[in-house]
Amino acid sequence: MRIDVLSIFPDYLAPLELSLPGKARENGLLDLHVHDLRAFATDKHRTVDDTPYGGGAGMVMKPEPWGEALDALLPPGPVAERPTLVVPTPGGTPFTQPLARDLATRAHLVFACGRYEGIDQR
C-alpha cells in the first residue's frame, strides 16, 4: 500500500517512522511519503493560506498550492487506477473501524491535511 500525506507540518509526522508504521515500511508492506505543501507554493514566502474570498474572519488554505500538489500526486488515468483522496475535516465523516477496513483495501491513499476549517473554494 502506498500512502502520500500532504501537510504544512511534515515534521509533525516524523513519528510515522517509529512503531508499527516504521516496521511496515521496513518490511515493504507500506510505502509512505510525507510532502510539504509549502513546496508547491510559488511565492517568495511559500504562502499556503489567505483570508477567505469575499471577506470574513479567520484564514483558509489557498487553492493554488493544493491544485499543484494534487496534480502531482493524483495523475490522470482511469478512475479505477487513481489514488483515493482523503480530506480529513472537523465536519466530515467520522473515522470508524469499518471506514478503516475499507481504506485498507485501497492500493494508494493520498491524505490532504489542511490547517483551518477548510480549503478556499476559488
Side-chain angles (χ1 to χ4, degrees):
M1 170 184 270
R2 178 180 172 119
I3 297 177
D4 286 285
V5 180
L6 277 163
S7 172
I8 61 172
F9 302 113
D11 292 338
Y12 184 76
L13 300 169
L16 291 174
E17 296 290 329
L18 307 172
S19 193
L20 293 177
K23 288 179 184 177
R25 287 181 79 184
E26 288 174 13
N27 294 328
L29 299 172
L30 180 63
D31 185 16
L32 177 66
H33 301 269
V34 178
H35 307 272
D36 187 350
L37 182 63
R38 292 183 192 281
F40 297 94
T42 57
D43 68 322
K44 178 174 130 179
H45 300 289
R46 298 174 57 184
T47 308
V48 295
D49 56 0
D50 201 356
T51 55
Y53 181 72
M59 300 288 281
V60 293
M61 303 296 292
K62 291 174 69 172
E64 297 86 3
W66 283 108
E68 294 292 324
L70 294 175
D71 284 348
L73 294 173
L74 300 171
V79 174
E81 296 176 13
R82 288 188 202 156
T84 300
L85 178 62
V86 179
V87 184
T89 65
T93 303
F95 189 73
T96 60
Q97 192 63 40
L99 178 57
R101 281 190 203 100
D102 178 47
L103 292 175
T105 66
R106 313 296 172 91
H108 187 180
L109 299 174
V110 175
F111 284 87
C113 301
R115 176 178 183 186
Y116 304 106
E117 187 173 334
I119 298 170
D120 197 338
Q121 297 302 312
R122 289 181 263 184

